[in-house]
Amino acid sequence: MRISVLVQKLLINMSLNKRKLSYGLAINEAMSQLMRKDPSVLLLGQGVKSPWYVGATCKGLAQEFGGDRVIDTPISENAMTGAAVGAAIVGMRSVILYPRMDFMLYAIDSIVNEAANWSYVLGGASSVPIVIWGIINRKGEQGAQHAQALQTMFAHIPGLKVVIPSTPYDAKGLLIAAIQDDNPVVYIDDRWLYGLEGNVPEEIYTVPIGKGVVRREGKDVTIVGTSYMALKAVKAAEILEAEGIDAEVIDLRSLKPIDEDILFASVKKTGRLVIADGTWKSYGAAAEISALVAENIFEYLKTPIKRVTLPDLPAPASRTLEQAYYPGEKEIIAAVKEIVKNNH
Amino acid sequence: MEKALLKNLYYRMVKIRACEESFVEPILNGEIKCPVHLCTGQEATAVGICSALRKDDYVFGNHRSHGHYLAMGGEVKSLVAEIYTKKSGCSKGRGGSMHITAKEQGFVGSVPIVAGTISLALGAALAANVRKEPKVAVSFFGDGATGEGTLYESLNFAALKKLPIIFVCENNLYSTHLPVKEIRPERPIFEIARPFGIATSQVDGNDVLAVFQEANKAVELCRQGKGPFFIECLTYRMRGHVGPNDNIQGDQTDIRPQSEIEEWKKKDPIKRFEKMLLEEKILEEKELEEIKQGIKKEVADAHKLANEDIRPRSETLNKYVFK
């Protein structure tokens, strides 16, 4: 019986997962399927009609759904975000897109003061079903104002959920879950993931918000990755395997709510933790994950926790400086070796 | 204009005044602790605008919104309870005076970030447009909000998309403690809508009929798809920026000359309307008195209920963060 269930699951998985799609097109498919299914879904943002500004994510949407529901906005982030919030309060499911996450800073009032607080301050009289979608525009010599990864700021705010998909499958499933959620969800993707191909089922499906996933099982050390750093963590683990270190990789997929269960179960098993996060170190996601582990399961730790993050600096332009600025598998491997070497 | 309508305008203004003044004593004796921005003196703008609307329209307020809430038909008892931060308040004690809602009556909500709800009303108008509903969104904001960039972003987008929104600036001449002449050049506020091609006007905000007529015009245009519209209502805040008067803590934070306050007392919107109703023999002294007495009782009962109610229990602290 058990085997037949497993076989059945495997067959379902194979049939669902046979199609490959890029990350950018997975987002595009989620948007178009939900706009087709639910007339209350509304998309606003700079570049939603552009052939290049937001990759392939908005391909064909304006043509299919028209200018009333797919609105390429003036450069007015504060009011446009407020409008998306207001529309959501009165029953739309708004998606507001920022082609460069840096531009979201103009909209902080609408996001933090209005969207995040609205349900609470009015005792639940109305909620804000909005997706606040920011693209990290990392690298490419873009410099500090076109490359920031600010998701941790939003994860600090009560009333916001924050998701950070790293695969095409999660990009689609989390966007659908975010649009269908009755609350504000900050959806952060990374433009360097847009070309990444992976299995994406054709039908509408969701990836639960607040649930991480084990990308690779291992027993020596836990590497927790966020967004594109989860992919780097998988690569690092593959290299480490050749050197005899068996790393477990967890992709958190959501920063808030954070999946404590998956994190604690893994660290309890391995006793070692490396956090790979593509945001700044101080007060960041890696700091929060460290605190959670130290506070709750300190006795399981065999070694200190290591953090692999951006240095506390603005993003540089020059490629030599970029190289030094962005961590990758090399830095993750070095961090793992620092804590595994003596006790392995 | 028919008697029932005029009576209703009067009734709503008196209700707002009675509520606002009923908070003075509990504020002074410390029973009410949350910041309360009274709209005494500004009743005609709230009632004039809201009386032109329907319950399925969308009204958004600001820090000084008791009047908007009541003018749209929000319950006195839920408002009073909220100001005492009690469990039965319209925001279940989470909001206090500055965060109130009567959603079923069309008053979607108010929050105190200056200009914070202008773009929310813009979004509600956008939603009405997308859904092809003949609804109107109204944003109430003060002269102080004219300093915020989001107002101009919103005017631009509303004009661009011809949205059914009425921007209502209640110019009470003071931006917290600062006279309007210290925060902007001496140009009429209603003119800020002109460069966007938005129909705009300035009305005597202490004349309820003038406001009501202008609002009807604006609402009709918006319902025909000929929005947006901008209305500046010239009015005056009879009490302090926050609390009964600005000297409440013994500090001279109010720089208004007493003579100016006295001048505006003569233009009291309720007294003016009362005089008109009596002179035109629309209502008799007796009827006015009946209205006042009825409201007095309703307000007193609301305070009694609020006093008997409990505050939200600490175990419910995290309720309503998410739906």
Side-chain angles (χ1 to χ4, degrees), chain B residues 140-172:
Chain B
F140 281 105
F141 53 91
D143 43 290
T146 62
E148 296 282 10
T150 190
L151 171 59
Y152 304 90
E153 294 179 23
S154 298
L155 289 170
N156 178 60
F157 190 73
L160 179 73
K161 301 289 178 186
K162 299 187 170 49
L163 297 180
I165 178 171
I166 308 171
F167 296 91
V168 180
C169 180
E170 293 175 282
N171 181 0
N172 65 17

Side-chain angles (χ1 to χ4, degrees), chain A residues 264 266-272 290-305:
Chain A
F264 294 168
S266 180
V267 174
K268 280 181 183 176
K269 185 170 76 173
T270 65
R272 297 183 183 90
S290 303
L292 280 172
V293 169
E295 201 168 47
N296 292 284
I297 53 164
F298 185 74
E299 65 275 21
Y300 289 88
L301 286 172
K302 296 174 191 162
T303 63
I305 296 165

Side-chain angles (χ1 to χ4, degrees), chain A residues 68 79 82-83 90 119-120 183, chain B residues 94 123 131-132 153 317 320 323:
Chain A
D68 279 357
V90 302
S119 170
Y120 192 78
N183 303 289
Chain B
R94 268 72 176 171
R131 296 191 289 234
K132 314 268 182 251
E153 294 179 23
L317 175 65
Y320 309 117
K323 186 181 168 186

Side-chain angles (χ1 to χ4, degrees), chain A residues 34-51:
Chain A
L34 282 205
M35 290 196 85
R36 221 167 281 145
K37 185 183 170 205
D38 181 355
S40 70
V41 179
L42 180 68
L43 173 66
L44 301 103
Q46 288 163 42
V48 299
K49 280 160 69 179
S50 159

